[in-house]
Amino acid sequence: MTELAARASTWWAIFKINFHEKLVYRGDFMLGTLMRFLPIVTQVFLWYAVFGSIRATTGEGADQAKIAGYTYDNIVAYYLLSTVSRAFSSMPGLASGIALQIREGEIKKYLIQPLDLISFMFLNRLAHKLTYYIVAALPFALVFWLCRDFFGGWPPATTLLAFFASLLMSFALGFFMEATIGMIGFWFLEVSSLLFVYMLFNFFLSGHMFPLDMLDSVGGPWGTIVRVLPLMYLAYFPAAVFLGKIQGTELVIGLVVQLAWVIFFYVTCRMALHYGVKRYSGYGG
């Protein structure tokens, strides 16, 4: 019990230090949040032109024109929500930073201390995200208030609860996936190419580009392939939950599968560190 309390005290101290360190960059966080939404302006005009073409062809009204079940307002709301979920799950510099520390030998400072490397990095990212959302709450509120007409109101409380649960799990999933890629640095000195491939697939298959359920109308195995991958839980799934596209049993199964992917990559990350350290050699001061 005493050991557990001492460990909790250490984790709390690490979290507080990282939290106060990240507050130094609050201006950067606030400006970065506003810049994050700028690419959506392009998407808004692009989809406005697409739906305008459909309405001109079919003669349907603004609310009747749909693509794969999405109205124009649904599409804009989806992009806004997927930006939020991407902000939770993205871990810029995590994998490349771990690989660089392994290659440069800096990682040995963690290995010689009574400190768990993965827990330390997780607390660092947790402090980063918490600081980011505290500082960026005002820009987020401003953007969503300006775009409030694209939303059909607040979803039910159970849907909101599921949405926030999926956001938290998307953070954990993004962290453990990128940390696992970084741990590959124990076997390969350079993981930039592997990270590039991961980011490429992440960009297209996480739902950042378009709602993934649109693939169902395309036909073929694409929809099934996307659903068996963990990437859809980084951006598409939380946004689809908020919009009510996933409900009932499908929602419960989706949350359970997302949790299973978090556990899978947590175990994978732990194993990669365990076996990576066994083959790691550090020399010099």
Side-chain angles (χ1 to χ4, degrees):
M1 190 67 182
T2 306
E3 183 183 353
L4 183 61
R7 187 174 298 180
S9 176
T10 303
W11 289 342
W12 176 242
I14 293 171
F15 176 79
K16 281 197 303 182
I17 292 170
N18 280 294
F19 180 76
H20 289 296
E21 180 189 0
K22 304 302 179 189
L23 278 177
V24 175
Y25 307 105
R26 54 188 180 276
D28 181 63
F29 286 163
M30 190 171 290
L31 183 61
T33 302
L34 288 174
M35 295 301 106
R36 186 185 289 271
F37 284 101
L38 281 184
I40 294 180
V41 176
T42 307
Q43 299 285 352
V44 169
F45 284 111
L46 172 66
W47 285 101
Y48 181 79
V50 171
F51 276 90
S53 176
I54 293 174
R55 287 193 292 268
T57 305
T58 61
E60 294 175 323
D63 294 334
Q64 284 75 39
K66 292 184 178 180
I67 299 177
Y70 284 84
T71 63
Y72 172 65
D73 287 354
N74 290 155
I75 287 287
V76 177
Y78 173 82
Y79 279 110
L80 290 168
L81 290 166
S82 65
T83 301
V84 174
S85 51
R86 285 278 298 173
F88 265 82
S89 62
S90 64
M91 300 289 157
L94 177 62
S96 58
I98 295 173
L100 179 64
Q101 291 193 20
I102 295 171
R103 186 170 66 247
E104 300 291 334
E106 295 178 11
I107 202 166
K108 62 178 179 288
K109 68 184 178 186
Y110 298 105
L111 304 180
I112 61 176
Q113 296 178 22
L115 186 69
D116 178 56
L117 174 63
I118 295 175
S119 298
F120 177 82
M121 292 189 298
F122 187 83
L123 287 171
N124 184 292
R125 290 288 164 166
L126 188 63
H128 177 94
K129 293 294 181 186
L130 184 60
T131 312
Y132 174 79
Y133 279 101
I134 289 174
V135 175
L138 188 59
F140 267 110
L142 174 64
V143 171
F144 276 84
W145 181 77
L146 292 173
C147 300
R148 61 190 182 283
D149 291 340
F150 293 113
F151 294 86
W154 288 98
T158 52
T159 302
L160 267 181
L161 189 63
F163 170 67
F164 286 119
S166 65
L167 278 182
L168 293 177
M169 286 193 284
S170 71
F171 164 74
L173 180 59
F175 173 84
F176 288 118
M177 285 178 70
E178 291 216 19
T180 301
I181 294 174
M183 297 294 177
I184 295 175
F186 281 113
W187 287 268
F188 300 96
L189 289 179
E190 185 57 69
V191 298
S192 299
S193 299
L194 181 63
L195 190 58
F196 175 77
V197 172
Y198 165 74
M199 295 305 294
L200 187 66
F201 279 98
N202 188 342
F203 189 73
F204 286 105
L205 302 181
S206 68
H208 183 71
M209 284 290 291
F210 56 88
L212 295 177
D213 49 355
M214 283 187 171
L215 291 173
D216 294 336
S217 59
V218 175
W222 305 112
T224 304
I225 292 173
V226 167
R227 283 189 178 83
V228 300
L229 296 174
L231 297 174
M232 64 172 280
Y233 296 99
L234 299 177
Y236 166 75
F237 186 73
V241 169
F242 188 96
L243 292 174
K245 298 292 182 182
I246 303 174
Q247 295 179 333
T249 306
E250 188 182 3
L251 173 59
V252 175
I253 293 174
L255 290 172
V256 170
V257 173
Q258 188 178 18
L259 178 61
W261 276 119
V262 172
I263 295 172
F264 172 81
F265 279 101
Y266 169 79
V267 173
T268 305
C269 183
R270 284 283 176 193
M271 290 179 64
L273 177 62
H274 177 75
Y275 289 106
V277 168
K278 284 182 178 296
R279 71 186 310 278
Y280 176 74
S281 297
Y283 304 95

